[in-house]
Amino acid sequence: MASYYRRKKPDMVFLNAKPINSGNAQAYLHGVRKYSIGLAERLDSDYIPPPNDGKRSSVSTIASNNPDFTPSIFYRNIAPVNWFLRIIGVLPIVRRGPSRAKFALNSAAFIYSVVFFMLLAFYVGYVANKRIHAVRSLSGPFEEAVIAYLFLVNILPIIVIPILWWEARKIARLFNDWDDFEVLYYQISGHSLPLNLRQKAVYIAIVLPILSILSVVITHITMSDLNLNQVVPYCILDNLTAMLGAWWFLICEAISTTAYLLAERFQKALKHIGPAAMVADYRVLWLRLSKLTRDTGNALCYTFVFMSLYLFFIITLSIYGLMSQLSEGFGIKDIGLTITALWNIGLLFYICDEAHYASVNVRTNFQKKLLMVELNWMNSDAQTEINMFLRATEMNPSNINCGGFFDVNRTLFKGLLTTMVTYLVVLLQFQISIPTDKGDGDGNSNMTVVDLLMDSLSNDMTLLGAPSTVATPSTTTTAVPPTVNRSGRGRKG
């Protein structure tokens, strides 16, 4: 772990650098960087170094030694959403201080998560059994069956809880890496990381669950009979998906803000004084931030692979149910389908858009800052460090990748929408091929969805040229073959 009071490397200064005074020299001996803009005012004044007994300081004790340093800024900014997820049995991570987050099977948080998951699983199993019986006894058009299956798909997010148990160790390691990054940022820049996401996280933790519960209640009122016993697990699971999306949003927002601040800090430092050691330190800081960006996707790999597939599935079904009923006019069921489609599309968009914005800020915007640096007034060592910095941004990927499955960016959102349109066209064609029985009054109105599917399959096989095994009396004719006399005698004369 990097220490705040590490000795400074030999400096490579520019030709126009001002010599340091005695007060500055005392500051350098205690680890304060001379190019730190945040401490520039203190360097030329009477600097009183903090007491140091020769021991190496840790991240957990750096706040007591340096009153200007604020530890665990990242964790404090996303803490409201973290606590909400822990209340619903997700993220059983124990954290006793900076860089001390861990996942333990014998911890109280994990035991609570297991108990909550078991109770929720029994509750969801009861509701799923009721929904399956409703689907089996369903009779009517095919789109009504799709709407009924939509309620079964809505209970799938319960699988996310054990997936997050599997990834809890990687998430705890990600929290610890953020604490180490904050210490390194303070060493180089001279001030704590100015993340101001706490208020936004509090608003999200309050407003988003209320909106989620309202959407579930309105959907059940408009699309099925409102049963409070069955609405409760849907509210919990819908809040789970919504808050996971908000958690991802805050993490990507923290990465974006940090990358922007780091780029601005680096550009401002170059305008004042730019030793090669300073460029090297900012390069190390950027490499740590790039690693945090990649680790974000790896730590939440399987969770957001499942989330992307789930959102794709639920959006496809809801839009199909909405489009299939628009021919009969906009009804009360379409309100619930519209809310479900818009809610999940918005969630998928923010997941992809924030990840894309974070990747662009970490890599592309930083490359622009490096390309705008004037090298003609720098010495050869500083120019070499700038070139190495630029090469590092090219060779180190900064995309948020879900474990090698796919990159989370706007291209993913576009690709999912394109695939969704293809499936919607197939489903609508399948619905058109199903025969309607509105004019039949001989009891065929009780035909089930399975019968409709079998009739549609029979019609498709007929169009393909398959031999039909059913013959109708009105269209079949019996051809009588001519009689042939096969005896040996012929006719006379």
Side-chain angles (χ1 to χ4, degrees), residues 157 236-246 307 310 343-344 347:
I236 296 175
L237 295 176
D238 198 70
N239 271 305
L240 173 60
T241 57
M243 295 307 288
L244 280 176
M307 282 281 293
Y310 165 75
W343 178 268
N344 290 283
L347 183 59

Side-chain angles (χ1 to χ4, degrees), residues 85-144:
L85 291 174
R86 290 187 65 178
I87 289 173
I88 60 177
V90 186
L91 293 181
I93 297 175
V94 180
R95 189 176 183 274
R96 295 184 175 90
S99 291
R100 297 178 62 188
K102 66 176 183 178
F103 169 73
L105 295 176
N106 57 353
S107 63
F110 181 70
I111 294 174
Y112 168 79
S113 180
V114 171
V115 173
F116 186 89
F117 173 73
M118 293 178 63
L119 295 176
L120 183 61
F122 283 120
Y123 202 169
V124 169
Y126 166 76
V127 174
N129 187 34
K130 295 289 185 181
R131 291 295 179 184
I132 290 173
H133 283 299
V135 170
R136 286 180 177 177
S137 60
L138 187 66
S139 61
F142 177 68
E143 56 269 16
E144 291 186 4

Side-chain angles (χ1 to χ4, degrees), residues 139-142 434-449 451-452 455:
S139 61
F142 177 68
I434 296 178
T436 57
D437 52 348
K438 293 182 179 179
D440 297 339
D442 52 353
N444 289 334
S445 59
N446 293 328
M447 185 179 296
T448 63
V449 176
D451 297 331
L452 291 174
D455 290 343

Side-chain angles (χ1 to χ4, degrees), residues 8 14 19 32 43 51 73 97 112 155 200 226 234-235 260 284 305 334 343 354-355 357 434 446 475 479:
K8 187 178 178 297
F14 297 125
V32 179
L43 292 180
I73 296 176
Y112 168 79
I155 65 176
K200 185 182 294 186
L226 180 63
Y234 285 106
C235 291
Y260 175 77
V284 172
V305 166
D334 298 330
W343 178 268
E354 281 301 318
Y357 187 61
I434 296 178
N446 293 328
T475 58

Side-chain angles (χ1 to χ4, degrees), residues 123-311:
Y123 202 169
V124 169
Y126 166 76
V127 174
N129 187 34
K130 295 289 185 181
R131 291 295 179 184
I132 290 173
H133 283 299
V135 170
R136 286 180 177 177
S137 60
L138 187 66
S139 61
F142 177 68
E143 56 269 16
E144 291 186 4
V146 172
I147 296 174
Y149 286 128
L150 189 62
F151 288 98
L152 284 175
V153 176
N154 280 328
I155 65 176
L156 290 180
I158 194 174
I159 305 175
V160 172
I161 299 179
I163 293 177
L164 282 170
W165 293 347
W166 177 264
E167 296 182 332
R169 285 188 175 88
K170 295 186 291 183
I171 297 172
R173 195 179 305 118
L174 179 66
F175 290 163
N176 295 334
D177 290 341
W178 266 102
D179 291 331
D180 295 342
F181 175 81
E182 291 172 15
V183 175
L184 185 61
Y185 184 89
Y186 179 74
Q187 292 175 357
I188 295 175
S189 65
H191 63 86
S192 299
L193 186 63
L195 283 179
N196 299 317
L197 302 176
R198 175 81 179 191
Q199 187 175 6
K200 185 182 294 186
V202 171
Y203 288 155
I204 289 175
I206 295 175
V207 175
L208 197 60
I210 296 175
L211 294 178
S212 177
I213 293 173
L214 286 177
S215 67
V216 172
V217 172
I218 293 175
T219 300
H220 280 74
I221 290 176
T222 57
M223 296 178 60
S224 64
D225 297 331
L226 180 63
N227 190 348
L228 293 179
N229 294 329
Q230 297 184 7
V231 170
V232 172
Y234 285 106
C235 291
I236 296 175
L237 295 176
D238 198 70
N239 271 305
L240 173 60
T241 57
M243 295 307 288
L244 280 176
W247 189 53
W248 177 272
F249 169 81
L250 289 174
I251 293 176
C252 294
E253 187 74 14
I255 295 174
S256 302
T257 305
T258 304
Y260 175 77
L261 292 172
L262 184 60
E264 294 296 324
R265 200 78 190 179
F266 177 67
Q267 189 177 25
K268 187 182 294 185
L270 284 177
K271 290 180 179 178
H272 291 79
I273 184 169
M278 181 271 292
V279 181
D281 284 342
Y282 270 92
R283 174 164 55 88
V284 172
L285 192 59
W286 181 89
L287 288 172
R288 294 289 293 273
L289 181 61
S290 177
K291 184 178 182 298
L292 284 175
T293 306
R294 296 192 302 271
D295 289 346
T296 300
N298 293 328
L300 302 169
C301 165
Y302 300 106
T303 300
F304 279 91
V305 166
F306 175 81
M307 282 281 293
S308 301
L309 295 177
Y310 165 75
L311 291 175

